[in-house]
Amino acid sequence: QRSSHLQKELLLAAIDMVDAHSKTGGYIVYSTCSITLFENEEVADYVLSKRYVKLVSTNLPFGVNGYTKYGRKRFHPSLKLTKRYYPHVHNMDGFYVARFKKYANGVKKQEPEEEDDDEEEEEEDEDEEDGDDRDSDLDGAAAADDDD
C-alpha cells in the first residue's frame, strides 16, 4: 500500500502541472500495470476529492468497467468510466486505465462536513478540560456509531 500513497502523490503532481484551459483540453491519463483496488480505483477516487478533475470515457473499445463498489467500499459513480484489463479475460497483462479532464486549476477545499467534525472534536476537548462529563453517555454512543 506504500505504492498507492506514492501513486496518489504522483497523480496529484501530474494534475497540478496541467492547465485546465490548455488548447489540448487538460486531459490526464492514469494507467497502472496492476489489477489491485488500492492502486487503481482508490487512487482515482482520492484525486477526484482533491482536485478539480472529472473522469471521462477512455474511448477504449474493450475492457471491463472500473468498480464503483467492491465489498464494503464505495467509490464515485464515475469510476465506471475507467477500464480494467485481466490476463485471464483479455489475454494480456493485467492493467487499469483512467482518463481525467481537469475543469479548473487549484486544489479543492475540504468538505464542510469534515470541518464540522473537527469543530465538534474541539468542543469535546474543551468540555473534558472543564471537567464537564454530561455527554459521557453520548460519547459511548458515538464510539459505537464509528464501528459501523
Side-chain angles (χ1 to χ4, degrees), residues 125-142:
D125 290 343
E126 289 172 10
D127 288 346
E128 288 173 11
E129 290 171 8
D130 295 338
D132 185 358
D133 62 353
R134 287 177 287 165
D135 295 331
S136 61
D137 292 337
L138 293 177
D139 291 340

Side-chain angles (χ1 to χ4, degrees), residues 1 3 5 11 13-14 22 34 36 48 70 87 112 121 125:
Q1 289 186 350
S3 63
H5 175 73
L11 184 53
S22 74
S34 169
T36 63
L48 286 173
Y70 185 87
E121 288 175 17
D125 290 343

Side-chain angles (χ1 to χ4, degrees), residues 32-144:
T32 67
C33 54
S34 169
I35 58 171
T36 63
L37 196 69
F38 67 88
E39 290 182 274
N40 298 324
E41 283 87 354
E42 286 185 12
V43 172
D45 194 59
Y46 176 80
V47 300
L48 286 173
S49 69
K50 299 294 181 186
R51 297 295 187 270
Y52 296 106
V53 294
K54 63 182 179 177
L55 284 164
V56 295
S57 173
T58 61
N59 294 326
L60 297 170
F62 68 100
V64 177
N65 291 345
Y67 293 121
T68 56
K69 59 183 175 176
Y70 185 87
R72 291 183 144 185
K73 294 182 182 271
R74 299 292 178 262
F75 302 110
H76 192 275
S78 67
L79 265 78
K80 69 179 180 237
L81 296 171
T82 66
K83 292 290 184 187
R84 294 178 140 268
Y85 297 89
Y86 297 104
H88 64 286
V89 174
H90 301 103
N91 197 28
M92 60 178 64
D93 289 342
F95 63 99
Y96 176 84
V97 179
R99 185 172 176 229
F100 295 93
K101 167 112 173 95
K102 187 171 182 179
Y103 59 87
N105 295 320
V107 176
K108 277 188 177 178
K109 302 283 188 259
Q110 291 232 347
E111 301 278 328
E113 292 176 21
E114 292 177 24
E115 292 173 8
D116 291 344
D117 291 344
D118 291 342
E119 289 174 14
E120 288 174 16
E121 288 175 17
E122 288 175 15
E123 289 174 11
E124 288 174 12
D125 290 343
E126 289 172 10
D127 288 346
E128 288 173 11
E129 290 171 8
D130 295 338
D132 185 358
D133 62 353
R134 287 177 287 165
D135 295 331
S136 61
D137 292 337
L138 293 177
D139 291 340

